[in-house]
Amino acid sequence: MVELLKGKAVASSIKDNMRKDIEELAKGNKVPTLGIVRLGDNPGDISYEKSIIKNCDNIGIKSKVFKKDVNIETEELVELIEELNDNKEISGILVFRPLPKHIDEEVVRNAISPLKDVDCMHPLNLEKIFEGNMDGFAPCTPKAAMEILKYYEIPLEGKNVVVVNRSMVVGKPLTMMLLKENATVTICHSRTKNLDEITRNADVVVVALGRAKFFDEKYFDEDSIVIDVGVSLDENKKLSGDADYDKVSPIVSKITPVPGGVGSVTTSILLSHVVLACKNI
Ligand code: NAP
């Protein structure tokens, strides 16, 4: 019988720890506050923003939205970020990505104060991850995947872990986090040959293609532990992971559901970073 690695319990445990920290901060009259920078009215951004604000409200974190026109120039966006860097009320800054094509993302990434960089945009914070220092602001999605593995006590030391993704937001930082836990990591991507053979032979497989139901039963066996990071719409416009859940769940040992898996932990990680930023200021 497959074990479902649900995100809700993981998120609750992260929130319990956060509540204690928020109470401590309140004694010093400090309230963790998230500054959200949104460009334009992308429905995906608006829905993510609503969910973050709701989660902030529920736990006692303040949030403020700084909405700008989607045609804003890089210089003006940098000015806003610098104002937020200097604003003592703001503990952490989240800039919604992807940024419009005309914005120089490199300049923006470097403008954000590393101390307020709760979404790990600044190169300094990413560099820390690559050096094996996990105490700062790690990228939220790979950290959420790691928190799930930790919460469900899935051993990583000496285990073969396959990550199907090589992006800077998911696959590469996740690989560093897994190495820190002494896993033996293989990174796969669109040019990988015999992907099914590689994933079938792994102890843990992290899939993050963003292609609904791509992975069927041929990619796994009865010992496979599947962490599904992918979120996209299937042919019926239903939210789906990269794994074809109906085909895969009867044969694998453990799997994260979508929705209700990695995505449900990501926001808690982000909020925990806002609390950490407030403690550090
Ligand atoms: P991305 O940059 O498009 O990366 C996709 C990766 O999948 C790339 O490394 C790509 O390889 C690889 N890939 C594509 N087709 C493949 C194939 N046929 N076989 C093997 N590998 C293949 O996307 P991303 O920003 O990293 O995000 C990945 C997905 O994670 C998103 O689509 C989204 O669904 C999900 N996501 C979830 C959360 C969450 O909180 N749950 C947060 C962020 C993202 P190449 O490098 O060779 O192109």
Side-chain angles (χ1 to χ4, degrees):
M1 179 77 175
V2 67
E3 183 188 352
L4 269 190
L5 307 173
K6 290 188 184 171
K8 201 173 170 190
V10 187
S12 295
S13 136
I14 296 168
K15 282 180 187 157
D16 286 346
N17 286 331
M18 240 191 287
R19 275 193 196 92
K20 290 177 204 146
D21 285 343
I22 292 171
E23 276 169 29
E24 275 305 308
L25 285 165
K27 289 179 191 162
N29 290 324
K30 282 179 163 186
V31 182
T33 305
L34 174 64
I36 300 172
V37 178
R38 168 161 61 86
L39 307 186
D41 293 312
N42 177 304
D45 286 351
I46 292 174
S47 132
Y48 185 34
E49 182 182 291
K50 275 190 188 153
S51 138
I52 293 174
I53 292 173
K54 194 171 145 205
N55 275 285
C56 281
D57 288 348
N58 284 345
I59 198 150
I61 293 177
K62 271 200 211 164
S63 54
K64 281 187 173 177
V65 177
F66 298 85
K67 197 211 138 193
K68 291 284 175 184
D69 193 274
V70 73
N71 295 317
I72 188 173
E73 292 299 331
T74 301
E75 294 70 27
E76 205 188 326
L77 178 57
V78 166
E79 271 171 34
L80 169 63
I81 290 172
E82 285 170 349
E83 274 168 37
L84 298 178
N85 286 343
D86 294 338
N87 185 335
K88 292 206 165 42
E89 271 179 42
I90 301 288
S91 330
I93 304 167
L94 170 67
V95 181
F96 279 158
R97 289 181 280 176
L99 290 166
K101 291 235 171 341
H102 69 278
I103 298 277
D104 188 338
E105 182 157 340
E106 191 62 19
V107 174
V108 174
R109 274 153 41 88
N110 278 284
I112 191 163
S113 161
L115 295 172
K116 296 191 175 187
D117 180 27
V118 291
D119 197 27
C120 195
M121 277 185 94
H122 196 285
L124 260 182
N125 284 322
L126 258 184
E127 190 185 307
K128 276 190 184 171
I129 305 301
F130 281 73
E131 285 170 349
N133 177 348
M134 306 297 162
D135 296 336
F137 302 123
C140 297
T141 302
K143 194 166 169 187
M146 292 302 291
E147 286 294 325
I148 290 179
L149 291 164
K150 191 168 129 197
Y151 181 87
Y152 289 102
E153 298 177 346
I154 293 166
L156 292 171
E157 181 150 334
K159 298 291 178 187
N160 289 321
V161 182
V162 169
V163 177
V164 193
N165 180 299
R166 60 171 162 181
S167 75
M168 279 302 276
V169 276
V170 182
K172 286 177 183 159
L174 178 61
T175 297
M176 296 303 129
M177 295 175 192
L178 290 161
L179 285 176
K180 174 86 179 165
E181 298 303 320
N182 298 317
T184 303
V185 191
T186 305
I187 308 186
C188 298
H189 46 78
S190 64
R191 312 289 168 89
T192 299
K193 303 253 186 302
N194 305 326
L195 182 62
D196 55 333
E197 259 174 48
I198 300 171
T199 53
R200 230 179 11 248
N201 286 315
D203 299 303
V204 177
V205 184
V206 183
V207 292
L209 260 66
R211 290 176 65 175
K213 300 184 180 170
F214 179 93
F215 293 90
D216 61 19
E217 62 273 38
K218 84 168 187 278
Y219 290 89
F220 309 107
D221 70 11
E222 68 279 7
D223 296 321
S224 301
I225 297 171
V226 184
I227 307 295
D228 194 343
V229 177
V231 187
S232 41
L233 296 178
D234 68 7
E235 67 280 9
N236 302 316
K237 305 267 175 268
K238 231 180 112 200
L239 214 55
S240 168
D242 285 350
D244 189 331
Y245 185 83
D246 291 341
K247 290 183 180 164
V248 166
S249 60
I251 68 146
V252 299
S253 109
K254 302 172 202 281
I255 188 166
T256 55
V258 178
V262 178
S264 59
V265 181
T266 307
T267 304
S268 300
I269 299 285
L270 176 76
L271 301 196
S272 73
H273 286 173
V274 181
V275 175
L276 178 66
C278 185
K279 278 163 79 175
N280 287 345
I281 286 173

